[in-house]
Amino acid sequence: MPLALLALAVGAFGIGTTEFVMMGLLPDVAADLGTSIPSAGHLVSAYALGVVVGAPLLAAATARMPRRRVLIWLMALFVAGNALSALAPDHTWLLAARFLSGLPHGAFFGVGAVVAADLVTPDRKARSVSLMFLGLTLANVVGVPMATLMGQHFGWRTTFLAVSATGLAAIASLALLIPAADSPAAPRTGLRGELTALRSLPVWLALGTTVAGFGALFAAYSYIAPMLTGAAGYGESTVTLLLALFGVGATAGNLLGGCLADHSLRATLFGGLASLTVVLTLFPLLMRTQATAAVAVVLLGVAAFVTGSPLQLMVMEKAASAPSLASSANQAAFNLANAGGAWIGGLALAAGLGATSPALAGAALAALGIGVAALAHAVDRRADRTPGRVVAGRVPQEAEALEAR
């Protein structure tokens, strides 16, 4: 695999660290700024809002720029946001800085996925995308725990300065390793072409699959701590280690999904969603003992992230003539899944259905994801049988190749 993927992974590592580290630092931030923990929790929402807003807007605004330059400017914005977070004098300033930090997130992963796919031959695209996302999953295993410990011992501001330094390292890596010129085969249609591709029904069905599939994950994962303590009987001090196990599972699932999707993208997607449905359905049973609960946490990470690179690649292929905006919109869909899944899981808990009920709500969302993916497949088959019709920017030969998968 090209060394340039390392630069993308470094950027993904920094972004993944800053996205999730705030959860572990909320008590420290709240105490330092003189606000309540619920109010400090808005800092998580501010980042997510930045992702949702920034993903399509920044991808659209940079549609005609060389992609290496786009990635460098996005990472520079990321560095600025985290540096301002470290210098925040009050809660309002930090809210604004967290929103700014989230703006480049979706566009970086969206444009980065397009670059990663262009760096390799068609039969290795999914693996290439999964290697970029490896930085994100490793952030959950290594980056977030280390950054949390750093913040707890040296102050939360130190954490954001360290994340800014990671961003600077990513900028240097991008400048050195990413080709200056885009691939000659890379489509560049400008803003109008990008917006036209985003109006495609297959693109929206792919985005809908992402929302449902990862909504299933976050319906359960958002409440994994009370499940582990209330149902499996773990102590609160052990939860951090178990969450690291989730990161290990997510890393393995991400790499596995990339390898499998290069052989059969659609089969990998359906298999991953089916596996996620089964794992979440079995959660109430697996949470009865500590040993099986630990296994369940690992399996949840594997099953959910097997679908990560296939979903990203599917969106890009549905908008093959103008993939940057659609690819970035998929990152916004991930964050909508985060918010929506947590809300649905919370409804199950509020209804008094038990500590493991969010997992069952997640299973229903995963099943919905299978349904949306099946509808997308049916739309593709119907379109491919329509003479002379080009679907979502694909030429007929490309559609036939995808159908053969």
Side-chain angles (χ1 to χ4, degrees):
M1 285 291 180
L3 192 59
L5 292 174
L6 177 61
L8 296 172
V10 171
F13 180 85
I15 289 174
T17 300
T18 203
E19 179 180 17
F20 294 109
V21 75
M22 183 58 75
M23 286 77 159
L25 295 177
L26 281 182
D28 303 89
V29 173
D32 185 50
L33 298 181
T35 188
S36 66
I37 289 181
S39 294
H42 295 157
L43 297 168
V44 178
S45 302
Y47 184 93
L49 181 61
V51 177
V52 174
V53 172
L57 290 183
L58 292 178
T62 58
R64 286 195 174 277
M65 290 175 59
R67 290 185 177 130
R68 184 180 74 166
R69 186 187 304 171
V70 172
L71 291 170
I72 290 173
W73 278 109
L74 290 173
M75 192 51 58
L77 183 59
F78 168 82
V79 170
N82 282 280
L84 289 173
S85 296
L87 300 173
D90 54 40
H91 183 250
T92 302
W93 179 289
L94 187 54
L95 273 174
R98 287 294 288 171
F99 177 80
L100 180 64
S101 300
L103 286 175
H105 176 129
F108 182 88
F109 279 107
V111 176
V114 175
V115 171
D118 285 342
L119 289 171
V120 296
T121 56
D123 62 316
R124 299 171 69 86
K125 283 186 176 183
R127 271 172 286 185
S128 183
V129 172
S130 73
L131 287 175
M132 181 191 73
F133 280 107
L134 182 62
L136 179 63
T137 56
L138 285 177
N140 283 281
V141 181
V142 180
V144 173
M146 288 183 60
T148 301
L149 287 174
M150 179 183 295
Q152 291 170 346
H153 285 84
F154 303 105
W156 62 269
R157 298 175 189 276
T158 307
T159 294
F160 290 106
L161 289 176
V163 171
S164 297
T166 303
L168 291 174
I171 290 174
S173 300
L174 291 167
L176 289 172
L177 300 177
I178 300 294
D182 293 337
S183 165
R188 302 310 298 266
T189 61
L191 178 57
R192 180 175 296 181
E194 296 277 354
L195 291 174
T196 299
L198 199 58
R199 292 204 302 266
S200 163
L201 175 60
V203 170
W204 281 102
L205 289 174
L207 293 174
T209 306
T210 295
V211 172
F214 273 82
L217 166 65
F218 287 111
Y221 187 68
S222 300
Y223 305 96
I224 194 70
M227 284 192 224
L228 292 169
T229 56
Y234 277 105
E236 291 185 3
S237 60
T238 315
V239 171
T240 301
L241 175 60
L242 292 168
L243 295 184
L245 286 179
F246 171 83
V248 171
T251 300
N254 173 59
L255 294 174
L256 178 63
C259 292
L260 294 176
D262 278 329
H263 295 287
S264 178
L265 188 151
R266 200 178 298 275
T268 303
L269 179 59
F270 278 111
L273 289 171
S275 299
L276 184 58
T277 305
V278 171
V279 169
L280 289 172
T281 301
L282 291 175
F283 244 60
L285 178 63
L286 294 171
M287 285 289 158
R288 291 181 181 177
T289 71
Q290 292 187 353
T292 55
V295 173
V297 171
V298 176
L299 291 178
L300 178 63
V302 173
F305 280 85
V306 159
T307 63
S309 52
L311 282 169
Q312 189 73 36
L313 194 59
M314 183 170 70
V315 170
M316 290 159 55
E317 289 186 337
K318 299 302 181 187
S321 64
S324 294
L325 181 55
S327 181
S328 299
N330 196 48
Q331 294 303 310
F334 278 119
N335 279 267
L336 288 175
N338 189 338
W343 176 67
I344 291 172
L347 289 179
L349 275 180
L353 300 179
T356 58
S357 60
L360 296 179
L365 285 173
L368 176 62
I370 294 174
V372 177
L375 177 59
H377 183 41
V379 169
D380 280 352
R381 288 177 62 87
R382 181 176 180 181
D384 290 343
R385 288 196 296 266
T386 303
R389 182 173 176 180
V390 177
V391 182
R394 293 181 299 165
V395 296
Q397 292 90 337
E398 289 173 325
E400 291 166 7
L402 285 172
E403 181 62 30
R405 292 182 173 185

